[in-house]
Amino acid sequence: MKKWVWIVIAIIATIAIVAAALLLREDVNDKPVIKIGTILPITGGAAGLGAYAHHGTVLAVEHANKNPGNKYRYVLVSENTESNINRVPAIYNKLVKVDRVRALISIDSGAGQIIKPLAARDRITHISSAANNDIADGEFNFVNSTDMDESTRRIADWFASRGWKRVAFAGTEYPAAVIILGHLEPELTRRGIKVVAREMVAVGHTNLQAEIANIMRAKPDVVFLYAIEPHLSLFGRDLRRAGYAGMISGLYTIAYAEYPEFLNGAIWLDYPSGDDGFKEVYLARFGHSPNPASAGMYDNINILVRMFEGAGSVAAGVAGHTGVFGEMQLRRGGRLIHNTLSFFEMKNGKPVRIEVKE
């Protein structure tokens, strides 16, 4: 083979090696890259939660990378569970072993519980915005949510202040529902409030005729609804069609209804959707208003950025940092990032923050 051919081959090989090295290093403007992975239900029944959460992470990473003082450039690697937690182990392995993420964010109690031992094993920082406070454990697993004991006490106190004595549970059989109802029922019992119906249905079960009939026969003062779509809107619609005139209440999920007009008049405990500045920037970026999941994920990214930029830990990243939810509190030895919730009422298809007597 002619000498020049060998020279061309050598040059091509050199270029390939340099390009590969640059890709592995992934530096831009001499800033090393840190990858943050997200495991979210961007489609499927929980998409009202996951898709908005994804937008919150995108916005936070964009804002972080605009800060010239940061030491690192941040890359978001987003994965979609399709509202199926059985997909979580494979997604986790891809993010950690292939994409080489340095931290992970999840939003579902079922997903968070699966990730918890894996993150501890692989020493990957994991923040879960989930109802299950027990995910907050050890050196690597944190929860950015609310103290579930405190939040369910507040709901039970409110029910008691209204003189309600009969509660029906309704919604989707989902890991978070088990956690929330498990905390709420003892609080109700201590206040002399009886659970008179339990109509939690499997994902995919959409004919609620029997469940609605059982609730109506039980004559509850209030229906506590914890569901993902389509059950959120279906329960709201079918309860009203059956003539139920009592209160519909809940924790978190009512804000994510695809057809919120079916839940007009419902009052529930939830996070805000962020401060006014966040709402304005989010609306300009995505063309629609944020919901609480958007704000929570934005805060999670910012906590991780503060950690990587020098705080050294998630707890230190929270310290002195006010998120778009407002003031954060560290509990459970700094593993639980507690956000105080507010009461909201669905008015004309929109959540409106209100004051209630608890």
Side-chain angles (χ1 to χ4, degrees):
M1 189 177 291
K2 294 184 178 179
K3 184 176 180 180
W4 66 267
V5 175
W6 288 110
I7 293 173
V8 170
I9 292 172
I11 291 171
I12 292 172
T14 302
I15 291 172
I17 292 169
V18 171
L22 288 173
L23 284 172
L24 288 172
R25 190 168 179 236
E26 292 182 286
D27 290 6
V28 173
N29 298 327
D30 296 324
K31 285 188 178 182
V33 160
I34 287 180
K35 292 181 180 179
I36 298 174
T38 65
I39 301 178
L40 303 173
I42 298 172
T43 60
L49 185 71
Y52 282 70
H54 172 63
H55 288 160
T57 62
V58 169
L59 188 63
V61 167
E62 289 176 354
H63 286 178
N65 286 331
K66 289 178 181 178
N67 185 349
N70 281 349
K71 295 184 294 186
Y72 301 103
R73 182 173 70 90
Y74 296 91
V75 171
L76 192 64
V77 186
S78 305
E79 292 291 342
N80 179 13
T81 68
E82 300 175 7
S83 299
N84 179 2
I85 61 172
N86 293 326
R87 290 174 48 81
V88 171
I91 289 172
Y92 173 90
N93 285 331
K94 173 189 176 293
L95 288 171
V96 172
K97 296 178 181 179
V98 178
D99 298 310
R100 303 292 182 183
V101 300
R102 295 276 300 278
L104 280 170
I105 294 173
S106 66
I107 200 171
D108 173 85
S109 290
Q113 195 62 44
I114 292 169
I115 296 167
K116 175 181 172 179
L118 304 177
R121 179 196 69 194
D122 297 328
R123 305 179 67 82
I124 298 292
T125 298
H126 168 224
I127 301 180
S128 176
S129 287
N132 187 354
N133 290 173
D134 290 338
I135 295 170
D137 182 54
E139 185 179 352
F140 298 98
N141 286 284
F142 301 83
V143 169
N144 183 9
S145 182
T146 184
D147 186 322
M148 192 53 60
D149 289 330
E150 177 180 308
S151 296
T152 51
R153 279 197 302 269
R154 292 180 64 196
I155 292 172
D157 283 344
W158 179 54
F159 287 3
S161 75
R162 298 292 297 267
W164 293 331
K165 295 294 184 181
R166 301 171 65 81
V167 177
F169 290 160
T172 313
E173 289 178 348
Y174 214 63
V178 175
I179 298 295
I180 291 169
L181 300 183
H183 282 262
L184 178 59
E185 187 166 5
E187 297 293 342
L188 297 173
T189 300
R190 280 191 279 272
R191 291 158 179 79
I193 302 171
K194 184 179 180 180
V195 178
V196 295
R198 303 169 190 271
E199 301 300 329
M200 308 300 292
V201 300
V203 173
H205 177 89
T206 56
N207 184 344
L208 304 181
Q209 183 176 353
E211 289 77 14
I212 297 299
N214 289 340
I215 292 172
M216 295 301 292
R217 279 193 295 269
K219 298 181 179 179
D221 300 310
V222 55
V223 173
F224 184 91
L225 177 61
Y226 188 92
I228 60 174
E229 287 294 4
H231 299 137
L232 260 176
S233 298
L234 289 177
F235 267 111
R237 182 196 69 184
D238 292 352
L239 280 167
R240 298 309 187 196
R241 284 181 175 177
Y244 175 70
M247 176 59 67
I248 296 175
S249 189
L251 182 62
Y252 306 140
T253 61
I254 292 175
Y256 308 121
E258 185 176 354
Y259 298 98
E261 60 272 19
F262 293 142
L263 293 161
N264 278 333
I267 296 176
W268 73 101
L269 199 58
D270 206 346
Y271 306 103
S273 297
D275 57 33
D276 289 342
F278 172 76
K279 291 177 183 177
E280 182 179 346
V281 173
Y282 182 101
L283 177 61
R285 174 65 175 83
F286 298 107
H288 61 83
S289 296
N291 68 22
S294 316
M297 291 296 112
Y298 185 89
D299 279 347
N300 284 342
I301 292 289
N302 284 330
I303 290 167
L304 290 173
V305 168
R306 285 170 61 88
M307 178 185 79
F308 286 122
E309 290 296 324
S313 69
V314 166
V318 173
H321 176 60
T322 299
V324 294
F325 278 152
E327 181 183 357
M328 299 177 177
Q329 302 173 28
L330 288 171
R331 300 185 181 180
R332 288 191 173 222
R335 298 291 180 264
L336 172 63
I337 306 162
H338 169 73
N339 297 274
T340 300
L341 307 185
S342 299
F343 279 93
F344 288 80
E345 181 176 1
M346 190 69 77
K347 295 183 178 180
N348 299 317
K350 295 183 180 299
V352 178
R353 195 186 311 207
I354 61 171
E355 297 292 331
V356 305
K357 180 182 177 181
E358 301 178 44

